[in-house]
Amino acid sequence: AEHQHVRYNPLRDDWVLVSAHRVKRPWQGQLEKPPPEDVPRWDPKNPLCPGATRANGEVNPKYEGTFVFPNDFPALQPDAPEPDDSDHPLFRAAPAQGVCKVMCFHPWSDLTLPLMSLPEIRAVIDAWAELATELGASYPWVQIFENKGAMMGCSNPHPHCQVWASSFLPNEARLEDQTQRQHLSQHGVPMLLEYAEQEARRKERLVVENADWLVVVPYWATWPYQTLLLPRRHVCRLQDLSDSERDSLASVMQRLLIKYDNLFEVSFPYSMGWHGAPTGTYLEEDCRHWQLHAHYYPPLLRSATIRKFMVGYEMLAQAQRDLTPEQAAERLRSLPEVHYK
């Protein structure tokens, strides 16, 4: 807690520098603007609202629950042509096809996940699983992710996420596939299943838990209040969760996100995403080395206006954090589970 050291991340096969004493240094850098508190519940000019017109001229239905539609500005398209062959190994390119969708969590723009009811959060989880099944039938990777808050690049306050399905395994997926496969081969147990059992026993990095799930600040966390959401049983994909596990997932997500908001009494920004076993042709392969999990990466460090920047040393050498994961977990764990609003 007092002296710098490095910690190994077995999921990414890399290291993070922990420098807990640096959080005490005075801050004269950039101060962020807190998120607006006066988001209108419905705005006809907001392209994600029910009944609004989107950029491509399509009118949204007056939806009352979740709403999924094709991204009007997709990063991946299913019919993209293949690149030309390279004339040199240092200038390689490869085909990339896919589908990008947007999913609105709720018809109200001022209602984030921690303020939604458990049945409403459960509906989001069911929609995630449905999309993972639908797109995973054709594509090897389906990335569900949510960017929350302008600080994390979100341009629209309406509660929503994105789902990108790709014809290739992205870098993070490829790396996690390799490390988890190697761990199972060497130790005979899925890495994150063993890790969850260890964290449940040690409890020093535990934030919230229930019968089916636990949330920890991982031992190797990079971001100040980064968390890892893990099931207690061995499960490879989101769509494999039982009804009761989906209910308990809604509960543990709500508890975590309320704590996040309560930390600095602000709608807490983060990027989050689900990682599970690849799909498409991988559905016919042995993927026992995979364990379903979700990453939460929030940028805030000291307050609602002071964030952690990943620059300089982090970009050119390796990740570095300013307080220990144990300190972060203790602070999150001690927060109330009733939303400050």
Side-chain angles (χ1 to χ4, degrees):
E2 297 296 330
H3 303 288
Q4 67 267 17
H5 58 281
V6 292
R7 295 191 184 191
Y8 180 63
N9 181 347
L11 196 57
R12 300 195 75 258
D13 188 28
D14 64 10
W15 295 80
V16 58
L17 172 61
V18 182
S19 310
H21 55 284
R22 273 173 56 86
V23 79
K24 300 173 184 177
R25 75 193 193 279
W27 181 258
Q28 295 180 324
Q30 178 173 317
L31 297 179
E32 307 292 336
K33 290 184 178 180
E37 296 282 349
D38 56 348
V39 176
R41 179 155 292 181
W42 183 80
D43 181 355
K45 297 179 181 178
N46 186 330
L48 298 186
C49 281
T53 301
R54 302 203 309 275
N56 62 357
E58 292 191 22
V59 178
N60 296 334
K62 295 184 177 179
Y63 63 92
E64 298 180 350
T66 59
F67 170 52
V68 178
F69 61 93
N71 193 315
D72 296 329
F73 304 96
L76 293 162
Q77 296 176 324
D79 54 356
E82 295 191 6
D84 295 334
D85 292 334
S86 173
D87 61 354
H88 193 282
L90 292 179
F91 300 92
R92 296 168 59 191
Q97 289 89 28
V99 171
C100 297
K101 293 182 179 290
V102 176
M103 185 180 116
C104 295
F105 295 154
H106 195 278
W108 295 355
S109 292
D110 60 343
L111 205 65
T112 56
L113 278 172
L115 296 173
M116 289 167 58
S117 69
L118 289 177
E120 289 168 338
I121 299 173
R122 167 64 196 265
V124 170
I125 294 167
D126 286 341
W128 281 343
E130 185 177 335
L131 281 169
T133 301
E134 173 194 334
L135 297 174
S138 305
Y139 291 99
W141 191 254
V142 180
Q143 184 59 65
I144 298 167
F145 65 97
E146 178 193 4
N147 294 325
K148 179 171 179 271
M151 201 180 300
M152 297 309 289
C154 183
S155 60
N156 193 311
H158 193 94
H160 71 286
C161 72
Q162 297 189 54
V163 184
W164 294 10
S166 61
S167 60
F168 55 90
L169 287 189
N171 294 340
E172 293 296 313
R174 205 156 33 86
L175 187 55
E176 288 193 4
D177 185 66
Q178 293 169 3
T179 57
Q180 290 180 97
R181 187 185 300 275
Q182 184 177 21
H183 187 93
L184 180 64
S185 174
Q186 292 178 350
H187 302 281
V189 60
M191 178 198 296
L192 292 181
L193 182 63
E194 181 178 9
Y195 179 69
E197 292 170 351
Q198 286 288 323
E199 290 287 28
R201 180 173 62 82
R202 296 169 186 255
K203 297 191 180 302
E204 59 188 329
R205 286 170 294 275
L206 191 65
V207 178
V208 292
E209 64 177 330
N210 60 25
D212 299 314
W213 300 88
L214 70 158
V215 177
V216 300
V217 178
Y219 178 79
W220 52 79
T222 299
W223 294 93
Y225 293 97
Q226 175 180 334
T227 54
L228 183 63
L229 172 57
L230 295 160
R232 292 183 185 271
R233 78 170 176 96
H234 185 207
V235 54
C236 290
R237 300 178 176 93
L238 192 64
Q239 52 268 44
D240 298 335
L241 296 175
S242 66
D243 279 347
S244 62
E245 287 170 330
R246 296 184 187 195
D247 284 339
S248 58
L249 174 58
S251 174
V252 85
M253 283 176 53
Q254 184 188 62
R255 292 168 62 198
L256 168 66
L257 297 179
I258 285 175
K259 284 180 179 289
Y260 269 162
D261 280 9
N262 284 346
L263 179 60
F264 299 128
E265 294 194 349
V266 69
S267 185
F268 207 67
Y270 59 75
S271 285
M272 72 80 65
W274 284 100
H275 284 173
T279 48
T281 57
Y282 290 88
L283 292 169
E284 306 301 321
E285 297 185 11
D286 183 0
C287 290
R288 287 176 299 163
H289 54 291
W290 270 91
Q291 175 74 330
L292 176 69
H293 59 283
H295 297 282
Y296 284 83
Y297 299 131
L300 291 178
L301 173 60
R302 304 190 193 194
S303 69
T305 60
I306 298 178
R307 65 178 297 174
K308 167 68 177 177
F309 285 91
M310 292 292 180
V311 296
Y313 188 86
E314 292 89 351
M315 295 175 71
L316 296 165
Q318 68 181 36
Q320 179 270 336
R321 60 179 291 117
D322 296 328
L323 74 166
T324 68
E326 293 75 25
Q327 290 167 335
E330 170 59 28
R331 187 163 184 191
L332 288 172
R333 187 167 56 242
S334 64
L335 291 166
E337 295 186 6
V338 176
H339 199 278
Y340 75 93
K341 284 190 174 181

